[in-house]
Amino acid sequence: GAEYEHTAIEGWRFGGEDNDSESSNVVVDGKIGIGTTAPNRLLHISNDTATVTNNSQLRIDNAGAGDAYIYMYAGTDWSMGVDNSDDDAFKICLGNDVSDGTEIITIETDGKVGIGTNAPDAKLDIKQTATTRGLQVLRNEAQANTEALVYFTDEHTSSTQATVRIRNDGAGDALQVMDGTSSALIVAGDGNVGIGTADPQTTLDIVGDLKIGNGSRIYEKAFYPIVFTNLVANQKVDLYW
């Protein structure tokens, strides 16, 4: 039968069979050690093997219609595990189970990840219902190279798809590019583009000089609505209204 032994140093040693070698499963001062005789947590599971196949330290199964998950509480309910009712998606939830609709992150079995949604439509699908930012990427390093903070790359040479698409169904700006707190480039919701202005009034509204091609420059000057500089001899400039 199973062997149970009590010592003053180790507490209770359990597991193993009679006449077998001593088990490394112990209970010491209320701490349970599985695979270790020196547990330092309420439950301490240890393994010593170079084999990774079928050698996880913990396995949680649910053969019924319920979920396989872990519940944690320290003032707020958190749970994570497999939601059997949602095609076995893995979820991290702000609740006491993983099928109560409180998911924060959902990972579907096809690899799609949803943040704020349990039905992601892309590899990473972020849905924000509040007025706060849905995604923020920050860097605070004095970099001396040309590495961009974010890359969007379509590597297939035969691709005819857009690399980046920005859509705004409301009345706000479709794109805002800022230089500190100043507007560098604005694409307004009505299609107007502003460079150097946050409120473009025409299809292209530029506050500042405009350089064209070989160095010709257009700028505003007192008494003259448009001034051309650096023009070469006999260069033709057409203006249309």
Side-chain angles (χ1 to χ4, degrees):
E3 180 182 278
Y4 300 88
E5 179 184 357
H6 183 270
T7 67
I9 297 177
E10 292 182 345
W12 287 97
R13 181 190 294 271
F14 61 95
E17 297 294 326
D18 293 337
N19 301 320
D20 284 348
S21 58
E22 286 188 332
S23 171
S24 58
N25 305 326
V26 298
V27 179
V28 180
D29 294 331
K31 298 182 179 69
I32 299 176
I34 300 177
T36 176
T37 59
N40 56 26
R41 296 293 186 272
L42 292 177
L43 176 60
H44 185 164
I45 302 174
S46 180
N47 200 359
D48 185 6
T49 177
T51 303
V52 296
T53 305
N54 296 324
N55 262 294
S56 62
Q57 281 69 49
L58 180 65
R59 174 171 172 165
I60 300 175
D61 286 347
N62 190 337
D67 304 322
Y69 69 100
I70 297 174
Y71 165 62
M72 295 156 284
Y73 178 81
T76 300
D77 292 323
W78 283 95
S79 58
M80 64 179 182
V82 178
D83 184 355
N84 192 15
S85 65
D86 191 11
D87 296 324
D88 289 343
F90 182 85
K91 297 182 178 182
I92 300 176
C93 300
L94 194 62
N96 59 16
D97 65 67
V98 295
S99 57
D100 62 0
T102 61
E103 50 273 333
I104 303 296
I105 298 175
T106 298
I107 304 175
E108 295 189 335
T109 54
D110 61 359
K112 293 188 180 73
V113 178
I115 300 177
T117 175
N118 63 356
D121 295 322
K123 284 295 184 181
L124 177 60
D125 191 343
I126 302 174
K127 284 188 170 58
Q128 174 64 295
T129 57
T131 57
T132 56
R133 296 180 178 95
L135 176 64
Q136 179 170 289
V137 181
L138 298 176
R139 178 170 63 192
N140 187 15
E141 295 290 336
Q143 296 290 338
N145 54 40
T146 58
E147 284 297 318
L149 183 58
V150 179
Y151 277 87
F152 295 95
T153 304
D154 192 341
E155 293 184 332
H156 202 290
T157 57
S158 299
S159 175
T160 59
Q161 303 175 98
T163 302
V164 178
R165 176 177 293 171
I166 300 173
R167 172 180 167 179
N168 184 359
D169 292 335
D173 294 333
L175 176 65
Q176 296 179 349
V177 179
M178 309 297 292
D179 181 11
T181 58
S182 301
S183 297
L185 172 66
I186 295 291
V187 179
D190 59 4
N192 289 347
V193 177
I195 300 176
T197 175
D199 186 23
Q201 299 298 306
T202 59
T203 302
L204 177 60
D205 191 343
I206 301 174
V207 176
D209 296 351
L210 171 62
K211 182 178 179 181
I212 302 175
N214 62 3
S216 299
R217 188 163 61 95
I218 303 175
Y219 68 96
E220 291 188 30
K221 188 175 182 180
F223 309 111
Y224 301 98
I226 299 178
V227 177
F228 292 87
T229 64
N230 299 328
L231 296 177
V232 299
N234 300 318
Q235 181 176 349
K236 181 180 178 181
V237 177
D238 295 325
L239 297 177
Y240 298 91
W241 282 266

